């Protein structure tokens, strides 16, 4: 059992369930969808303003963001907007065997397309091999890179980072 965000810095499975972070199986089958792993009530709202579909809302500035998954079209614009690096995107329809996980990345050098990486979970544990298939850096935002990483479908809801050898 993991300790949870307040104690370990990594959101736990229990918290993911309690805050209903994961989309339903049915929604995952429809295509890419944002996954907002934000469970701390802090005054923050860039994700709300980043979404062209108005799929993210807040009841008050310090409330947790709410995602209308039926409005979400999986564009990923909310990912680099989040200063807490708490927004991800999962596309279970990417291919027969692989899912695409999009995640924020703030280290240098930025990976290259085609690079093979260790795909790691929220606590940094390796889960599978990943392949970088797209790198997006929007200079109009805060220059946080968004990596699209192909991984086996069975780890797509656990993979939230990458680790690489830089030699
Ligand atoms: S992925 Fe796009 S449509 Fe979905 S919540 Fe994020 S910004 Fe909105
Ligand atoms: S921008 Fe990030 S930290 Fe701020 S409310 Fe949205 S998801 Fe939470």
């Amino acid at each position: 059992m993991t300790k949870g965000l307040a104690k370990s810095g990594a959101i736990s499975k229990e918290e993911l369930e309690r805050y209903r972070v994961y989309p339903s199986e049915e929604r995952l089958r429809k295509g890419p969808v944002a996954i907002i792993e934000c469970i701390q009530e802090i005054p923050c709202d860039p994700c709300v303003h980043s979404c062209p579909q108005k799929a993210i809302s807040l009841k008050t500035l310090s409330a947790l963001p709410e995602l209308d998954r039926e409005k979400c079209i999986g564009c990923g614009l909310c990912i680099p907007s989040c200063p807490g690096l708490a927004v991800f995107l999962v596309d279970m329809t990417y291919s027969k065997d692989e899912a695409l996980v999009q995640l924020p990345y703030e280290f240098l050098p930025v990976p290259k397309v085609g690079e093979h990486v260790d795909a790691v979970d929220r606590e940094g544990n390796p889960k599978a091999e990943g392949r970088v298939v797209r790198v997006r850096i929007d200079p109009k935002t805060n220059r946080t890179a968004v990596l699209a990483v192909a991984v086996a479908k069975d780890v797509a809801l656990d993979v939230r980072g990458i680790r690489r050898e830089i030699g």
Side-chain angles (χ1 to χ4, degrees):
M1 187 187 292
T2 49
K3 291 178 184 161
L5 188 64
K7 287 191 176 158
S8 73
I11 193 168
S12 66
K13 296 239 176 213
E14 291 78 11
E15 288 168 327
L16 289 167
E17 281 171 24
R18 193 180 336 139
Y19 291 94
R20 299 186 185 158
V21 169
Y22 287 151
S24 65
E25 295 271 329
E26 185 188 5
R27 176 61 188 84
L28 286 168
R29 277 196 294 272
K30 288 183 183 170
V33 62
I35 297 187
I36 301 181
E37 303 194 357
C38 175
I39 62 167
Q40 285 182 314
E41 296 186 3
I42 51 171
C44 181
D45 68 355
C47 57
V48 173
H49 302 291
S50 71
C51 180
Q53 300 300 113
K54 301 196 186 315
I56 307 173
S57 61
L58 288 171
K59 286 200 170 73
T60 68
L61 183 58
S62 294
L64 297 181
E66 293 177 21
L67 173 65
D68 184 335
R69 297 186 180 100
E70 295 310 311
K71 283 187 185 171
C72 175
I73 57 170
C75 67
L77 292 175
C78 48
I79 299 171
S81 78
C82 173
L85 309 182
V87 182
F88 305 87
L89 195 104
V90 169
D91 182 3
M92 288 292 195
T93 66
Y94 175 63
S95 76
K96 181 169 165 286
D97 300 316
E98 290 180 319
L100 202 63
V101 178
Q102 293 194 43
L103 51 93
Y105 190 80
E106 293 192 327
F107 296 98
L108 293 173
V110 175
K112 291 188 169 42
V113 170
E115 191 171 323
H116 288 258
V117 294
D118 284 336
V120 301
D121 66 13
R122 297 169 184 85
E123 296 179 312
N125 304 309
K127 296 300 288 184
E129 183 176 302
R131 192 177 72 263
V132 178
V133 301
R134 196 166 60 241
V135 177
R136 200 177 69 221
I137 302 174
D138 182 353
K140 284 183 294 192
T141 63
N142 55 11
R143 299 193 65 82
T144 298
V146 176
L147 309 183
V149 182
V151 295
K153 286 191 184 196
D154 62 347
V155 297
L157 293 178
D158 294 326
V159 166
R160 292 296 177 266
I162 63 160
R163 190 186 296 158
R164 20 187 328 237
E165 297 282 330
I166 301 174

